[in-house]
Amino acid sequence: MSHFVSRKGMNIDGVGPSLIDQLLDADLLSDVSDFFTLTHEDISSLDRMGSVSVQNLFDSLDHVRENTELPNFLFSLGIPLLGEQAAQLLSKNFFATKPEVHIVQKEIHHTGEQESLFDIPVSSQPEVEYESHNYIQPIAVFSFFARYTEDDYLSIDGIGQKLADTLVAYFSSGVHKHTWEKLQQAGLLCLYQEINLHPEFEGKTFVFTGTLQHYSREQAKKLVIDNGGSIGASVSKSIDVVVIGSEAGSKKEKAQTL
């Protein structure tokens, strides 16, 4: 449960180990989908959950319903052997394949403008009240991967034998499918991601070190993946680009020796 709500997972604010323990003790959680079916009455009856804390929690749950990236969702589920990077690879494979799935279009409140990284132009617009976003339903993703064989997974660069076996078992499970169905019924959607292959990114592996000036580490990684690149875990001769920010550590030193 803690993995599901973590920052690199669904990033649900206000849910810590103490609250999870209380929810489990009160039989309010049986699987991760139950986070989205909680009521104000359920939470208000728990220790140290005043009105402000309760409202903040439900605001966070509402935000997650409409702002979840597929890699974060896949990672949050705690699929054995599926780490953050492998979740990115699965997501990239799904969107690059451009499967025929139903696209849900919704208008959400939006403010601000985007910046540019690596001198690549991105769309910029003035502040508007609403912006239309495209979403995919979780069960469409589950059904897509349920059709994959071991060989299909092994054809994805970066997916090995053990993880391929695990993914085949996971996506053939009726129990897991039911959880995804319950998440969808609770209103969870995943943002639709356009894979735009850019020559400065396509087929290249990036490693980040240090603090970036205009982007968080997660935002920079997403930009690389959205443009056809991939993310490496450490510096080696197989890495194409090392992005060095301020206060870079040992990865900078190792990159300079290669």
Side-chain angles (χ1 to χ4, degrees), residues 213-231:
Q213 185 175 0
H214 298 297
Y215 281 77
S216 71
R217 185 72 61 85
E218 298 308 313
Q219 288 172 325
K221 287 181 178 180
K222 181 179 183 301
L223 187 145
V224 168
I225 292 167
D226 287 353
N227 284 276
S230 59
I231 306 299

Side-chain angles (χ1 to χ4, degrees), residues 186-201:
L188 180 69
L189 296 169
C190 293
L191 286 162
Y192 187 83
Q193 178 184 3
E194 290 286 353
I195 300 294
N196 303 306
L197 300 182
H198 192 284
E200 292 192 36
F201 291 85

Side-chain angles (χ1 to χ4, degrees), residues 105-164:
Q105 191 173 74
K106 296 182 68 175
E107 288 188 338
I108 64 171
H109 187 266
H110 171 80
T111 58
E113 297 183 351
Q114 299 183 64
E115 296 184 61
S116 175
L117 182 64
F118 305 126
D119 297 322
I120 293 177
V122 295
S123 59
S124 180
Q125 63 179 31
E127 183 174 329
V128 294
E129 185 176 357
Y130 288 97
E131 182 181 24
S132 178
H133 280 192
N134 290 333
Y135 299 88
I136 51 170
Q137 296 172 318
I139 200 61
V141 180
F142 190 98
S143 298
F144 175 85
F145 285 117
R147 296 192 293 270
Y148 263 39
T149 65
E150 175 187 301
D151 289 339
D152 290 326
Y153 286 116
L154 290 174
S155 70
I156 303 172
D157 188 28
I159 301 294
Q161 183 67 58
K162 290 184 178 180
L163 178 54

Side-chain angles (χ1 to χ4, degrees), residues 15-30:
V15 182
S18 176
L19 178 58
I20 291 174
D21 287 343
Q22 290 190 73
L23 292 170
L24 290 170
D25 290 342
D27 293 326
L28 293 172
L29 288 181
S30 58

Side-chain angles (χ1 to χ4, degrees), residues 174-188:
V175 173
H176 296 315
K177 182 179 181 180
H178 183 56
T179 298
W180 284 54
E181 289 172 336
K182 289 168 64 180
L183 284 163
Q184 181 169 308
Q185 290 166 3
L188 180 69

Side-chain angles (χ1 to χ4, degrees), residues 1-6 8-10 32 70-91 138 141-143 145-146 153 159-173 175-177 179-180 183:
M1 296 293 184
S2 295
H3 182 77
F4 181 76
V5 303
S6 67
K8 291 185 177 181
M10 298 297 280
V32 294
L70 182 56
N72 299 82
F73 176 58
L74 290 169
F75 178 71
S76 76
L77 295 168
I79 301 172
L81 304 180
L82 186 74
E84 183 183 2
Q85 185 176 351
Q88 295 277 9
L89 293 174
L90 283 186
S91 176
V141 180
F142 190 98
S143 298
F145 285 117
Y153 286 116
I159 301 294
Q161 183 67 58
K162 290 184 178 180
L163 178 54
D165 292 341
T166 296
L167 292 171
V168 169
Y170 180 90
F171 285 106
S172 63
S173 166
V175 173
H176 296 315
K177 182 179 181 180
T179 298
W180 284 54
L183 284 163

